Amino acid sequence: MSIPSAARYLLILALAVFATLGPARPLCANSPAGATEPKWKEVRIASEGARPPYNYLDNNELAGFEIDLGKALCQRMNVTCHFIMQDWDAMVPGLLDHQYDAIMAAMEISDEAREKITFSEPYARMPSAFVTARKSQLKDFSPAGLAGKAIGVVAGGAHQAYVEDVYGKSDIHTFPTLEDAILDLAEGRVDVVMGDKDEVTDFLDKNKEGQCCRTVADVPRDPAYFGEGIGVGLRKEDKELKSMFNKALADIKADGTFTQIRAKYFKFEID
């Protein structure tokens, strides 16, 4: 059966239009036109499992503050998390080798580390604290208030540098360990000890010798001595993932999720 010339002309015209426009592509009901699929659907996070309470092993599984925090961040980013245990010395090389995508291992943000990787905003800034004997009447821990007083610190670290520069009118005593400093504090050989608040609190809570003393005040934060804090380590090129972590961190701090996780592991503020 032959097709009339007029009908044949209309059919050819319709086929030409179809070829030009292509088949119709239905839009997903919850995806606006022009939307792109997110790049990150899974994120592999490395941790050491050797720095409690930040990270440790529980029945050979990674656990701790950073693991709970990482899970909350991944949930907020709407990605699937996989946690990978990694030795500290291989932590940054493994990230750069794409063995995982992020590091949450109590890693301090520093200029030296930034030469190779980048960081999210800090999620922990460990305060330093002053410790005195329970019977001490000291109340002023400013440089003027501790002028002439004996301050104990662990030798060779940030606290020694800080007290030598800021508390120049005090008598500075250095010790091999925090325990040695607190034992001298208990014996009255120093008036006050300065140390990281997590280490100080842990010692006072878990050791009989710690019953002598108490934390009395936080040391004013000075990044020049005590650093910027702890953040998520990331490859420099993964700018989208960095933005995702930063937004998720801001969100869980705003809605109280961060505080709930922090309170499980620390008795004091760390951010």
Side-chain angles (χ1 to χ4, degrees):
M1 179 178 178
S2 62
I3 301 175
S5 59
R8 186 163 56 251
Y9 172 77
L10 292 174
L11 177 60
I12 293 171
L13 181 61
L15 290 172
V17 171
F18 180 81
T20 302
L21 296 178
R25 289 177 292 178
L27 294 175
C28 178
N30 56 4
S31 297
T36 57
E37 281 289 314
K39 174 184 175 181
W40 295 97
K41 295 183 179 180
E42 296 186 1
V43 176
R44 300 163 298 167
I45 301 175
S47 196
E48 187 182 15
R51 178 75 188 279
Y54 294 97
N55 58 80
Y56 54 87
L57 293 181
D58 184 7
N59 293 323
N60 292 319
E61 295 288 333
L62 284 167
F65 167 70
E66 288 175 312
I67 309 308
D68 287 356
L69 178 62
K71 291 176 181 177
L73 292 173
C74 286
Q75 183 178 18
R76 198 56 57 94
M77 293 188 295
N78 196 28
V79 299
T80 300
C81 273
H82 302 284
F83 291 92
I84 298 170
M85 189 164 61
Q86 178 65 279
D87 292 338
W88 180 259
D89 289 343
M91 195 72 70
V92 171
L95 176 68
L96 297 178
D97 195 38
H98 291 258
Q99 295 175 25
Y100 33 82
D101 308 301
I103 296 171
M104 294 185 71
M107 183 172 284
E108 294 280 347
I109 300 169
S110 68
D111 290 338
E112 181 180 0
R114 283 197 183 102
E115 292 178 2
K116 296 181 178 180
I117 64 174
T118 189
F119 289 90
S120 70
E121 291 296 316
Y123 56 77
R125 296 182 179 95
M126 182 53 58
S128 297
F130 291 108
V131 186
T132 67
R134 290 190 177 276
K135 62 183 180 181
S136 173
Q137 299 300 310
L138 281 174
K139 297 185 183 302
D140 184 355
F141 299 93
S142 67
L146 292 182
K149 303 295 184 183
I151 302 176
V153 292
V154 175
H159 296 104
Q160 180 181 354
Y162 179 75
V163 295
E164 287 178 348
D165 288 349
V166 180
Y167 287 80
K169 294 183 178 180
S170 298
D171 183 15
I172 311 302
H173 294 239
T174 60
F175 297 88
T177 67
L178 179 66
E179 178 180 0
D180 292 326
I182 292 179
L183 290 177
D184 264 28
L185 178 64
E187 294 297 325
R189 289 190 279 268
V190 294
D191 299 297
V192 61
V193 165
M194 181 191 296
D196 286 335
K197 196 167 185 176
D198 56 345
E199 294 181 11
V200 167
T201 302
D202 189 63
F203 181 84
L204 297 183
D205 287 348
K206 295 181 179 179
N207 295 276
K208 182 179 179 181
E209 295 84 355
Q211 296 176 8
C212 68
C213 308
R214 60 195 175 102
T215 57
V216 287
D218 285 356
V219 178
R221 171 163 292 281
D222 190 333
Y225 293 94
F226 304 120
E228 299 176 49
I230 294 169
V232 182
L234 301 157
R235 290 182 289 270
K236 292 182 179 181
E237 65 266 26
D238 290 335
K239 296 178 181 179
E240 179 187 357
L241 186 58
K242 179 177 178 177
S243 296
M244 290 167 62
F245 268 109
N246 283 339
K247 184 178 185 307
L249 183 59
D251 287 347
I252 67 169
K253 285 186 175 183
D255 71 9
T257 301
F258 181 89
T259 299
Q260 292 176 0
I261 296 171
R262 187 272 304 162
K264 180 179 175 182
Y265 297 96
F266 300 98
K267 296 180 179 179
F268 46 85
E269 297 292 338
I270 60 169
D271 59 326

